[in-house]
């Protein structure tokens, strides 16, 4: 059988700035996987809610979710600070996660080689994935990585403030009632604290 004919699925989870998005892109490019970053779905919904003057209900969420396409998810507007803040809030809603789950399940069925990354992929979206990878990184290193990004929004922000923000985000992700961030049995742990991008690339390629 030709390698391109193989069916293979990879589920990647991890906290903020743990390296999961960078790692996912490395794998997808090297092995020609179709990649979906689930966080973009929540950001896209948040953007649509803001355009709707902050108003939304279950039917609005379902309508938006039904019309999402990969092309629509490819916009820098998803990374505006107000979108990021609202996305974190609505991600805790049960009806929101249920509506966006359908898009992810349909995405899985559409392609032979597929990779989805996020915070509840292994437990809720792809429990039977062929490979599950969980990314982690020390809070100090994560803060260093995100400092430059935060500086673009607030030039006076400090490393300590970024650390605090990331700790809060990780705490909320791990302790939310709906689809918390957890390390599932059978997943491979990848700690990126002391890894350069090149080292991480070699490790992931070998793993896959």
């Amino acid at each position: 059988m030709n390698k391109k004919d193989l069916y293979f699925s990879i589920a990647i989870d991890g906290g903020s700035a743990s390296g999961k998005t960078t790692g996912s892109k490395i794998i997808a490019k090297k092995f020609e996987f179709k990649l979906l970053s689930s966080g973009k779905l929540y950001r896209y919904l948040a953007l649509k809610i803001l355009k709707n003057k902050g108003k939304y209900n279950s039917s609005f969420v379902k309508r938006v979710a039904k019309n999402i396409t990969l092309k629509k998810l490819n916009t820098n507007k998803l990374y505006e600070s107000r979108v990021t803040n609202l996305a974190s809030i609505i991600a805790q809603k049960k009806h929101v996660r249920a509506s966006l789950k359908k898009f992810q399940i349909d995405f899985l069925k559409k392609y032979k080689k597929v990779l989805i990354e996020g915070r509840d992929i292994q437990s809720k979206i792809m429990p039977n994935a062929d490979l599950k990878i969980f990314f982690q990184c020390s809070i100090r290193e994560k803060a260093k990585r995100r400092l430059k990004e935060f500086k673009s929004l607030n030039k006076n922000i400090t490393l300590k403030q970024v650390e605090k923000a990331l700790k809060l985000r990780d705490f909320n992700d791990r302790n939310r009632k709906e689809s918390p961030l957890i390390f599932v049995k059978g997943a491979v742990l990848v700690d990126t604290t002391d890894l350069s991008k090149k080292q991480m690339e070699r490790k992931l390629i070998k793993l896959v």
Side-chain angles (χ1 to χ4, degrees), residues 8-15 18-21 23-24 27-28 31 33 115-123 126 129-136 181-192 200 203-208:
F8 201 85
S9 59
I10 301 176
I12 291 181
D13 284 325
S18 61
K20 67 181 184 299
T21 301
S24 297
I27 293 171
F31 297 99
F33 273 71
L115 187 164
I116 301 182
E117 63 98 348
R119 287 175 172 80
D120 68 336
I121 308 306
Q122 296 164 28
S123 61
M126 300 171 67
D130 295 300
L131 175 61
K132 300 172 185 176
I133 306 174
F134 190 95
F135 281 77
Q136 73 174 22
L181 171 66
I182 58 173
F183 180 83
V184 302
K185 184 178 180 181
V188 179
L189 180 65
V190 173
D191 191 317
T192 65
M200 180 169 69
K203 188 178 184 73
L204 293 175
I205 289 174
K206 184 177 180 181
L207 179 59
V208 176

Side-chain angles (χ1 to χ4, degrees), residues 42 56 85-97 168-169 171-173 175-179:
Y42 296 93
Y56 74 101
N85 292 334
L86 183 56
S88 181
I89 294 170
I90 63 174
Q92 300 179 46
K93 308 288 185 181
K94 186 175 182 178
H95 71 94
V96 169
R97 301 199 77 86
L168 178 61
R169 178 63 192 274
F171 177 84
N172 289 337
D173 285 340
N175 293 281
R176 67 187 178 210
K177 185 179 291 185
E178 294 301 324
S179 304

Side-chain angles (χ1 to χ4, degrees), residues 57-87:
N57 53 27
S58 184
S59 60
F60 177 86
V61 172
K62 287 179 180 177
R63 186 165 67 252
V64 172
K66 188 176 181 181
N67 291 291
I68 295 177
T69 64
L70 290 179
K71 187 176 181 179
K72 289 178 180 179
L73 297 178
N74 189 26
T75 171
N76 289 331
K77 290 182 180 180
L78 300 185
Y79 297 94
E80 295 175 359
S81 58
R82 61 185 191 139
V83 173
T84 298
N85 292 334
L86 183 56

Side-chain angles (χ1 to χ4, degrees), residues 4-59:
K4 290 187 177 180
D5 294 328
L6 291 175
Y7 284 84
F8 201 85
S9 59
I10 301 176
I12 291 181
D13 284 325
S16 301
S18 61
K20 67 181 184 299
T21 301
T22 299
S24 297
K25 290 178 179 178
I26 288 171
I27 293 171
K29 183 178 180 180
K30 176 67 178 179
F31 297 99
E32 299 180 349
F33 273 71
K34 201 68 177 179
L35 169 63
L36 172 65
S37 294
S38 66
K40 286 186 175 183
L41 299 174
Y42 296 93
R43 289 173 178 274
Y44 180 78
L45 175 58
L47 180 63
K48 298 297 283 187
I49 291 172
L50 289 169
K51 287 183 177 179
N52 196 45
K53 299 180 180 179
K55 299 176 182 179
Y56 74 101
N57 53 27
S58 184
S59 60

